[in-house]
Each structure stands twice: as structure tokens, then as C-alpha cells.
Amino acid sequence: MVLQTTTYVRRLDSENTPPATRLANAKPKVRNGIQAASRRRRARATGGSHHPRYAVEHAKQKSTSKYPPPSINIELSRSSGDVEMSDSTSAISMSTVTLPRYLSRPAFRELSKETISAVAPELADTELSYIREGLQCLGPDMLQVLAGVKAEPISNILPKELPAVVNDLSSDMPTHMLAVYSRQVSATTKRRVTLFPIHNIILAAHCANLPILPTSNVARPETAGSSISVPVVPLCIPAPEVFPQLSTFLYTKRIDHLLASLLPCPAPQQLYRDDPASDSVLDLLQKFTSKLATTYGDKALLAHAMAVNGLWRNACALGIDDEKLWCALDVAWEVLITALAISTGKQL
């Protein structure tokens, strides 16, 4: 088993991010912070600049449908030039890849009150949408704290608790360290486990399939640079390499930032803000995908598509029923599948 750690980086271009309320250590104040942030947010217009309106109709097909979902076969050209990419598709050596035409949405189960009460008993009777609205305001500051967390694994043996240095005290301390890994690993390869600091309330408020996390009583240190001890929780998901993008989105709910991390270049805002059936959006989609098809090689586009597919599988495995997330997945998949079809001469 190979242990490695990662840190979160807060985006500096945080335009339109609502101001967050600072959280104190006392748990009752956590609830007060969520309620205050929620009231401020609901006082603004609900159809904000990142309100999701893009939803591919076929993407809402249930995975339990008796008919197999449509797919597309992508034939890769081994001689085509490719843009340098991460290792997310380094294992792909085939010349033909079959991809689903649409990313179907499973039948999500309702998030239980027990999941919330296990991590924040004072919020057990608070409406879930109310908690999520508040966390959307508080999340960016909580994410900034995570960016300042430094933890070093002691050995290749996963401990029950891990010391971590905290360099930012502006919001709540992380409550757990997730040891994220994939079940799919060859017998000759050491299992890679990556450590991610998290706040239990963020995951508990969004992940219906999340196991009950162990109790965490992390106290806020007096000075920055101090060490805290957090429980370590193993978490097996389909695609650990794109967990940072998913986790960051749950803290910020920024569709533009998520799409920027999934696509080769930023997508036009109209693709996820305007009516997807309008002629202007369809025309823009065609122009944008044509640009991607001529700028990037098919293998580079496939690498991005596999990252989107991995994030989709993670969302399904964790049971995340968030409309903004699915809006981003719909946009990213439609863009990349269309660009791949143009690049390889396929008909959608």
C-alpha cells in the first residue's frame, strides 16, 4: 500500500462567491452560522449566475431501465498528436473505446437524518435544503482551511488517527482524514491510498451512501501551525484520481470551476446558464466542440472524458443527488462526446 497526501487549493478567482460566516468551535454556533448564511442567501435572487439550467433529457434515464443505454464507439488514431495529460488514462492502450452516449442518473435514495445527526446532533431537526444553503456560503472558507492542512503518513500502515498541521484558523477545523482508494488494482500493483482532510458535515449533507463516520472531537488550536489529531476513515470509490474535483465542488458549488477542471479549456457560460434547447446554445455548442476537436487530439479528449466518467461514477457510488453537479456532468459529457465524435468522424 502506498500512502500519499494531498491538499486543497482555493481558487483565487472567486467571483460571485457569497461571503461566508466564520464558524466558532462551539457546536451550537455551527447551527447559528448555517442559519445566518442561509437567510442571507435566500434574500438574494435564487436564479443566480450559476443556476443550473442545462440538463440533457436522456441523462435522466434511470440506470434500471430494461433497455440498454445508447453508446458510441470511439476509434483512436495512434498517430494523432496529443496534448500532454495526466495519468488518468495511462492504462488505456486499446484503439477502440466504447462510451455511453449519456450519463444516466441512478434512483437516489433519500439522505437519512441519522447521517446528519451522527456528525451534527444540533442540526438533526433542520431541513436538509436549509443546511445545504448555509454550507454553500460557509464552504469556501472551510475549503481554505483544508488548503492549509499538512499531514504526513507515518508508514505504509493506515493508522486510526493521524496528526496534521493546520496553518489556517479562519473557519472550522477538519474533522476527518479520508483514506481514498480504488478496489480495482492489479495483483502486482501496490494499492495507492491518498489522504484527504474533510469536514464531516459537508459530506454528510450530500452523500446518501456515505457510511457513518466515527466521532470526531477536534479542537481549534490557539495558533496557526499547530498540530491536531483527526480520525482516519478508509473510503473505497471507483475513481480516486478525481475525488479532489468532486470534494471541492461540494464545498463551493461552483459549476464554472468544476467545468474548468474537467474540460481542456473553459466552457462558454451560456452552455450551463441558458436554455439548452435554444438555437443559440445549440449553435454555441457546435462551435465550441468543433474548436476542441481541432485543437486537441482524440486521446487528450478521451482523457478528459474518462475524468468526467470517473467523477460520475464517484457521484453515483456516494449517492450525491445535487442538481448543480449533474448540470456540470451533463455539460462536460455532451461537450466531450460531441468533440470526440467530430474528431473521429463518428455520427451521434
Side-chain angles (χ1 to χ4, degrees):
M1 177 176 64
V2 179
L3 283 176
Q4 63 183 84
T5 59
T6 189
T7 56
Y8 294 90
V9 178
R10 190 187 191 198
R11 292 289 298 265
L12 296 179
D13 52 339
S14 55
E15 178 188 3
N16 297 324
T17 300
T21 299
R22 306 294 186 189
L23 291 181
N25 288 324
K27 286 187 177 180
K29 291 187 178 181
V30 173
R31 178 173 183 171
N32 291 339
I34 288 178
Q35 291 176 338
S38 179
R39 284 195 295 270
R40 286 198 307 273
R41 182 166 185 79
R42 294 206 288 195
R44 292 188 286 267
T46 57
S49 61
H50 299 287
H51 182 68
R53 297 185 61 185
Y54 192 101
V56 179
E57 180 181 355
H58 296 282
K60 294 189 176 182
Q61 294 176 342
K62 302 299 183 182
S63 59
T64 55
S65 172
K66 62 180 179 179
Y67 300 106
S71 60
I72 176 175
N73 292 325
I74 300 297
E75 296 179 359
L76 299 180
S77 173
R78 295 181 182 274
S79 61
S80 63
D82 294 313
V83 176
E84 186 72 21
M85 291 298 298
S86 65
D87 62 354
S88 60
T89 59
S90 59
I92 297 176
S93 60
M94 62 189 72
S95 59
T96 301
V97 179
T98 300
L99 300 173
R101 176 61 184 89
Y102 306 103
L103 298 180
S104 61
R105 304 189 190 189
F108 292 105
R109 67 186 184 93
E110 186 176 354
L111 198 147
S112 66
K113 287 188 175 181
E114 288 75 15
T115 302
I116 298 294
S117 60
V119 300
E122 70 281 2
L123 297 176
D125 296 326
T126 305
E127 186 179 346
L128 180 59
S129 60
Y130 197 53
I131 296 174
R132 288 177 174 173
E133 287 175 359
L135 289 176
Q136 185 170 342
C137 295
L138 303 172
D141 272 11
M142 299 169 77
L143 184 64
Q144 179 175 311
V145 171
L146 298 187
V149 174
K150 306 296 181 183
E152 293 294 337
I154 301 174
S155 67
N156 283 340
I157 299 176
L158 198 64
K160 291 186 178 180
E161 289 193 353
L162 189 69
V165 175
V166 181
N167 294 306
D168 191 312
L169 307 180
S170 61
S171 187
D172 271 15
M173 295 299 98
T175 61
H176 295 80
M177 188 73 71
L178 289 187
V180 178
Y181 66 97
S182 174
R183 183 173 287 111
Q184 296 178 351
V185 61
S186 64
T188 59
T189 305
K190 289 185 177 180
R191 188 183 302 277
R192 175 178 293 184
V193 178
T194 308
L195 301 175
F196 295 95
I198 57 99
H199 294 86
N200 52 12
I201 185 61
I202 293 287
L203 267 66
H206 295 92
C207 305
N209 299 335
L210 185 73
I212 298 297
L213 299 176
T215 302
S216 175
N217 297 306
V218 178
R220 184 178 185 272
E222 294 294 330
T223 58
S226 300
S227 180
I228 61 175
S229 183
V230 291
V232 178
V233 180
L235 182 66
C236 180
I237 57 175
E241 67 275 7
V242 288
F243 181 78
Q245 291 96 314
L246 177 59
S247 178
T248 298
F249 173 80
L250 294 181
Y251 278 85
T252 66
K253 296 301 182 71
R254 291 293 299 267
I255 292 181
D256 53 343
H257 289 181
L258 181 58
L259 286 175
S261 71
L262 294 174
L263 297 175
C265 61
Q269 297 176 352
Q270 294 92 324
L271 290 183
Y272 53 88
R273 292 182 180 178
D274 297 344
D275 181 3
S278 66
D279 291 339
S280 60
V281 169
L282 294 176
D283 181 62
L284 183 61
L285 175 67
Q286 185 64 33
K287 291 180 179 178
F288 182 58
T289 54
S290 296
K291 173 187 174 181
L292 294 185
T294 56
T295 305
Y296 301 91
D298 47 18
K299 292 180 185 176
L301 293 172
L302 177 62
H304 285 281
M306 294 302 292
V308 175
N309 187 273
L311 197 145
W312 165 64
R313 288 183 288 127
N314 287 345
C316 293
L318 292 171
I320 303 177
D321 185 10
D322 183 278
E323 188 60 32
K324 284 191 174 184
L325 174 62
W326 286 96
C327 166
L329 288 173
D330 287 346
V331 172
W333 193 252
E334 185 70 11
V335 164
L336 290 168
I337 288 294
T338 305
L340 275 168
I342 296 172
S343 177
T344 58
K346 289 290 181 179
Q347 187 73 29
L348 291 179

